[in-house]
Amino acid sequence: MSSRTDLASTLRSLDGRSYGNLKQIRGRYTFGPVTLFIDRVQADPFASPSKVRVRVDRDEAKFPPELTTDRADRIAASDYLQRAGNAVLSGIGQRATILGRPGQEILERTNILIDDAGFEARLLVNLPARGRSILGHQAADILTRDLPEFAQTLFLFHSWSDADSLASADAHHAADAHHATDVHAQSGPSALDLAAHVQLHRDQLELRDHLGEAGLIGFIGNGAILPRQAGDSDRPMDAAAAVGFTSPPELEHTVNLSSGRSLTGMGIPRGVTVIVGGGYHGKSTILRALERGVYPHIAGDGREWVISDPSAASIRAEDGRAVTGDDISAFINNLPSGTDTRAFSTTNASGSTSQAANLVEAVEAGARTLLIDEDTSATNFMIRDERMRALIPAEQEPITPFVDRVRPLLTRGGVSTVLVAGGSSAFFEVADHVIALDAYVPSVVTERAHELVGVSGENLDAHQDHADGTDSDDTGSDGTGPGEPGGGSPAFGAVRRVPTAKALRPASKTKSARAKGTDRIQFGRSFIDLVAVAQLVDAQQTAGVAEALEYLAEIFDGRTSLTEALAEIDGMLEAQGLDGITGHRDHPGHLTRPRTQEIAAALNRYRELRLAH
Ligand code: ADP
Ligand code: MG
C-alpha cells in the first residue's frame, strides 16, 4: 500500500511528461482514514474521465448505525450523501464529479456505496494536462489533497457541524422537528438532514406496505402539490400558484405510522377507478403523480405522500413500436390478415395493437395496477360506442375495447385500473369509483355516474359478464373458465414467452448496451426507443436498464422465460445490490436501479428480439 507522499511525488515527477505515463498511477493509496482507489486512468486528456473511488471504513466514519444498517436505510442515506457530496465537490472545483444529479426520487444508485465495511464515493476525475503533457502538480493537488479532503468532509460523520444533535436524547424528534426542505440547496452535510431523509424514506415505505394491506393501490396525501413547475421540469409548482390536494370525504383514509407521523389523504381502492372532469382541470396531473408514486420522493417535492402500488404501470398507445410474440388476443382478434394474435409480432404496431401489447407486457412483468390516460390512448382500443357496435358487426371488428376487458382484468387477473376519461361516459358502468375534478379539487360522483347509465355498484360484474358473452372472440360458449385452454377467454399476459439463447447477442453487436439519455438505448447496431416508457426517471436509470439487458443476455438459454429471467435479475439485485448487475471492471458509479417493469419494457421494444417459443 502506498502513501500520500508516494502518489504526490510520482505525480510531480510526471509533470510535463506525455499523458500516457499517467497509466502507472493506477492502484490504491491511503491518506489517513481515506483510501483512494484509482481504478482507470484516461488514455489522453480528451478521453472520458478517469475513474476513482474514495473510501472510509465504518470505524473511522462513525455514522450512527441506526441510520446506515438496514438495506432501505442505506438506500436513503446513500441518496442523501450523493446530494450532499455534489455540493461539497462543487466547492472543491469542477475537476471531479459524482456522475449524475439525482432528481426528485430517492433511488438505489451506485454513486455512493454503503456496505458493512464502510462508505465509498465513486467519482470521475479529469486529470489535468497542457496539450498532451501531464500537469503533475495540479494532478497531485486533486488526487492527494482535494479528494481525500472531500471524503473526510462527506464520510467522517463526527466532523459534520451538527453531528452532536443526533446524539441527544430523542433523535427522532430532532429530525422530525427539523424540516429539510430542499436537499439540493444544502451546502454541507447535516446530521439532521440525513436523519430526516432516512426517516422520510422509511415512512414512505411503511405507508406503501400499509396500503397493500388495506387494499389500496394508491394514496394522495392532503396538501400534496401534484403539478410541476413546467412540462420539462420535475420540480414542484410554486406552492403559491398550486392548489394543494384535498381528499373527498368518501375516500379519505388516515394512517398512523410507527414514527408517530399521521397522514390523511385519498385512498384509491383496488378496482376500477375513473377520473373525469373538464379539460385542464388536473386529471392528467393526478395520473402522472401516481405514475411517479411507485418511487419514494425527497422532502419538498410535494409528492412525498403520493404512494402507488410499486408494480403500477403506465399504459399508452405507441404506434410504430415492434412487438414480438405477445398474446394480445384478449383485445385483438380476427385480423383481416388472418394473423394469430395469441402470438402477435409486428415491426410496426398500430395505436390499438401497441396499447394492447403494452398492457399485456406490463401484466406479464407483474403489474397489478394499470394507469391509463385518455390523452395518450388509442380511442378504438379504449371504447366503441353503441351505434358503432350496431353498424359494424362484431365479427368484422378485430378489437374488443378495453372497456369490455377492464372488469375481467380485475376479477380474473387481479389487475386494477386507474383511468382518466373526460371525453366519454363509456367507463361509468364498469367503474367502482368515479372521481370528478373541478378546478383541481376531487369529489366522488360514483352514484350519479352509475345512475346515468343504469347500473348499481353491486351488479357491476354481473352486468359486465353479460357484455362479455356477446364479444366477438368468445368462441368458447362451452362455459370454460378464465385462462383455460380452449375457452377463448381473455389471456392477460399469461403466455410464457421464451427468448432464444442468442436473443440478446446479435452478430452485429460488438459493444455493450449503452444508454443514450433517458429515452434510448444503443444495442448493437439498433436503438431501443423508450420515449413511451413514462416511469423511467433519468439517464442513469436507463443505464441501469442497459446493464440489465447485458445481464439478461447471459441468462437466456432458449429455455428460460422472460418472466423467469426478470425474476432472476430481481433476486440477484436484492441479494448483491446494484453493483452485481454490471460486468464493468472499474467502478459502476453511474447506475440507478430500474424496476422490473422498465427492464421488461426495454426488452420488449428491442426490435431483434427472437423467441424460441
Ligand atoms: P387535464 O388532464 O384535466 O386536461 P392537466 O392535468 O393537464 O389537466 O392540468 C392542466 C394544467 O393545470 C397543467 O398546466 C397543470 O400543471 C395545472 N395543474 C394541475 N393541477 C394543478 C393544481 N393542483 N394546482 C395548480 N395547477 C394545476
Ligand atoms: Mg389530460
Side-chain angles (χ1 to χ4, degrees), residues 64-241:
E66 68 275 13
L67 296 179
T68 52
T69 302
D70 177 77
R71 191 165 192 281
D73 288 350
R74 284 183 186 176
I75 290 172
S78 301
D79 181 276
Y80 176 77
L81 288 170
Q82 182 179 356
R83 294 168 196 272
N86 275 326
V88 175
L89 276 180
S90 57
I92 287 177
Q94 300 304 325
R95 283 275 171 193
T97 51
I98 308 177
L99 248 182
R101 299 249 148 197
Q104 300 297 99
E105 286 81 14
I106 301 174
L107 293 169
E108 181 174 354
R109 301 188 191 87
T110 53
N111 308 70
I112 304 276
L113 178 74
I114 302 178
D115 58 23
D116 290 346
F119 296 76
E120 181 175 297
R122 282 84 179 265
L123 303 162
L124 294 180
V125 182
N126 237 321
L127 294 171
R130 179 180 297 120
R132 291 191 181 274
S133 325
I134 301 166
L135 284 172
H137 296 275
Q138 288 185 27
D141 284 351
I142 296 166
L143 292 173
T144 70
R145 185 193 66 199
D146 297 350
L147 289 186
E149 211 173 281
F150 159 74
Q152 298 207 26
T153 310
L154 196 61
F155 291 148
L156 295 185
F157 181 78
H158 55 81
S159 72
W160 293 10
S161 58
D162 63 347
D164 291 343
S165 48
L166 283 190
S168 67
D170 201 338
H172 256 331
H173 281 113
D176 242 14
H178 171 83
H179 289 288
T181 42
D182 192 342
V183 207
H184 293 283
Q186 297 298 325
S187 51
S190 144
L192 285 174
D193 280 354
L194 170 68
H197 202 74
V198 170
Q199 189 57 48
L200 176 64
H201 186 243
R202 282 179 191 164
D203 284 353
Q204 292 182 26
L205 297 187
E206 188 182 334
L207 176 57
R208 185 167 93 183
D209 290 345
H210 165 83
L211 297 182
E213 289 155 21
L216 301 173
I217 50 148
F219 179 88
I220 305 179
N222 288 341
I225 302 296
L226 308 185
R228 301 292 94 189
Q229 228 165 47
D232 61 353
S233 165
D234 203 32
R235 310 288 301 269
M237 181 182 275
D238 185 9

Side-chain angles (χ1 to χ4, degrees), residues 278-285 287-288 373-376 420:
Y280 227 64
H281 278 253
K283 303 183 296 296
S284 298
T285 302
L287 203 75
R288 226 158 280 143
D373 193 336
E374 61 182 352
D375 292 354
T376 47
V420 167

Side-chain angles (χ1 to χ4, degrees), residues 87 113 215 236 283 303 383 392 504 539:
L113 178 74
K283 303 183 296 296
R303 298 169 299 186
I383 55 174
I392 307 292
L504 293 179

Side-chain angles (χ1 to χ4, degrees), residues 543-558:
V545 171
E547 294 286 350
L549 292 179
E550 291 295 330
Y551 197 89
L552 284 172
E554 306 284 329
I555 298 176
F556 288 137
D557 53 5

